[in-house]
Amino acid sequence: MTRRMSIVTGLLLDVAVASSMNATLRGAWPGTEGAVCPGSIGLSGHGSIQMTNAFWNKPYDPAGEVEVNNGIISVQMKGRTYFSNSCVPGSFSQNRYAELNLLNKRISWTTNVAAAGCGCNAAFYLASLPQNSQVSGCKDFYCDANSVCGVRCSEIDLQEANKHAFHSVLHMAEDGSGVGLGYGGGGSGWNSHRDWTKEQYGPGSSCINTNNPFRVEVSFPVNNVNGKVKLQAMITKVSQDGCTLEASVELDSYHFNGRSSADELTEALEKGMTPIVSYWSAPDMLWMDGQGADHLGPCQEDNPDLCGESVQFYDFAVEGLPFPLRI
């Protein structure tokens, strides 16, 4: 083969690959930039939930696949899926997303993060998608407190975790850092949450052995303030084989730019927030799983290239709390 023929052949191959990639973005899912509907799960205490998969992970960065089989949500890297009342292939609408009011309730689920090492994040969280009228850069009305797709809204991270670290975090819409609980993370001169230890949570640990699935429960107790219900706290319990780790954060301790988190997050939950499952990675996730200044965190460095193929979430349930629940 001559050099000219090699160049022409190479160019034709490049065109073919580009054409195939464009076709994948246009046609691998129903409709341009449209939703895919992987199936439904049961949410005990609520009813059947349809799942709606994101098309974009971030603007112009295609999302990974999310599969639903026998009630188990299996999320591949960059996958994100929304709890929905209904799902229409090829179409997104904020009016179809589930609106859960979890005031004075608890939500629980089982998760398997064994494939998620340092630099990987298996996430389950709430965001105010139904109240967001802006389509966003991801073209699906997605919003969060870090403006991943260009729109901010209130967010509650029920689980941001890998097999070394676990966090639950409250976020006012303008506060990307938030206030939370759990274990892991930090940087030069600062430490993130230290409610638990690596001896209690992690691969082969004494309480939550993250090589195996474990149960998570997050509660939202309320106070009655002058005849109005106010969110009081977030309480997280992580359990496995009879051993439980627990931590809480009270809303009285969380203000941002002079504003009360209790007011904003009570309103967000009252209006209804959408549960979201995702799996993502980054080379700079030491804020979540790093050793911190005290060197008591789990990870010396993040290795996103070593993240496993998928993480799983299943056996979701919602139930009411005694009124009022005191902590």
Side-chain angles (χ1 to χ4, degrees):
M1 182 180 291
T2 67
R3 185 171 183 273
R4 176 177 290 181
M5 289 179 64
S6 297
I7 293 172
V8 171
T9 301
L11 288 173
L12 289 174
L13 284 172
D14 288 344
V15 170
V17 170
S19 176
S20 175
M21 290 177 65
N22 288 335
T24 297
L25 289 178
R26 290 195 308 270
W29 300 271
T32 302
E33 299 183 336
V36 76
C37 306
S40 64
I41 62 167
L43 176 57
S44 180
H46 178 87
S48 180
I49 290 288
Q50 297 290 320
M51 304 308 300
T52 301
N53 290 358
F55 186 91
W56 297 112
N57 168 45
K58 296 182 289 187
Y60 305 108
D61 178 20
E65 291 188 25
V66 181
E67 298 178 345
V68 177
N69 292 299
N70 298 318
I72 298 174
I73 301 173
S74 183
V75 193
Q76 296 185 18
M77 184 53 62
K78 295 187 179 182
R80 186 170 66 244
T81 191
Y82 311 121
F83 281 41
S84 305
N85 298 318
S86 62
C87 180
V88 177
S91 171
F92 290 107
S93 171
Q94 78 274 33
N95 297 319
R96 289 194 285 268
Y97 294 140
E99 301 171 86
L100 294 191
N101 179 352
L102 293 177
L103 284 174
N104 213 53
K105 296 178 182 178
R106 66 169 61 96
I107 184 168
S108 59
W109 65 96
T110 299
T111 188
N112 185 350
V113 299
C118 298
C120 321
N121 193 332
F124 181 42
Y125 55 108
L126 309 172
S128 297
L129 272 61
Q131 294 78 42
N132 175 35
S133 61
Q134 301 179 65
V135 69
S136 86
C138 293
K139 308 298 178 67
D140 59 3
F141 299 91
Y142 179 75
C143 61
D144 61 24
N146 279 283
S147 191
V148 168
C149 295
V151 182
R152 289 185 179 273
C153 65
S154 301
E155 174 185 348
I156 298 176
D157 297 324
L158 306 171
Q159 168 186 319
E160 282 198 298
N162 55 38
K163 62 184 178 182
H164 302 289
F166 186 104
H167 301 270
S168 298
V169 182
L170 301 167
H171 293 273
M172 297 171 69
E174 300 299 322
D175 182 12
S177 297
V179 173
L181 57 89
Y183 167 67
S188 177
W190 68 280
N191 303 309
S192 188
H193 308 125
R194 296 291 187 267
D195 295 297
W196 313 320
T197 68
K198 67 176 66 176
E199 289 74 29
Q200 295 173 309
Y201 179 96
S205 77
S206 63
C207 187
I208 307 299
N209 177 3
T210 54
N211 290 323
N212 301 317
F214 55 90
R215 190 78 179 162
V216 186
E217 172 188 303
V218 179
S219 301
F220 297 97
V222 299
N223 278 331
N224 191 322
V225 180
N226 297 324
K228 294 184 178 180
V229 168
K230 288 282 188 180
L231 180 62
Q232 177 190 9
M234 175 175 65
I235 306 170
T236 296
K237 296 181 181 181
V238 183
S239 304
Q240 184 185 67
D241 298 332
C243 188
T244 299
L245 302 176
E246 180 175 343
S248 64
V249 57
E250 296 205 29
L251 276 290
D252 285 347
S253 66
Y254 179 24
H255 292 79
F256 185 75
N257 286 343
R259 297 175 55 235
S260 165
S261 64
D263 292 339
E264 178 178 324
L265 295 177
T266 297
E267 181 179 0
L269 285 167
E270 278 183 335
K271 290 182 176 179
M273 302 181 78
T274 300
I276 303 165
V277 173
S278 70
Y279 183 38
W280 59 285
S281 65
D284 56 353
M285 206 179 290
L286 293 178
W287 55 266
M288 185 184 93
D289 57 22
Q291 293 182 335
D294 59 9
H295 299 287
L296 296 178
C299 296
Q300 185 173 0
E301 63 179 0
D302 289 323
N303 297 291
D305 291 340
L306 300 181
C307 294
E309 180 180 2
S310 65
V311 293
Q312 291 76 42
F313 299 80
Y314 52 97
D315 288 346
F316 296 90
V318 171
E319 59 184 321
L321 300 175
F323 186 85
L325 177 68
R326 298 186 182 278
I327 62 171

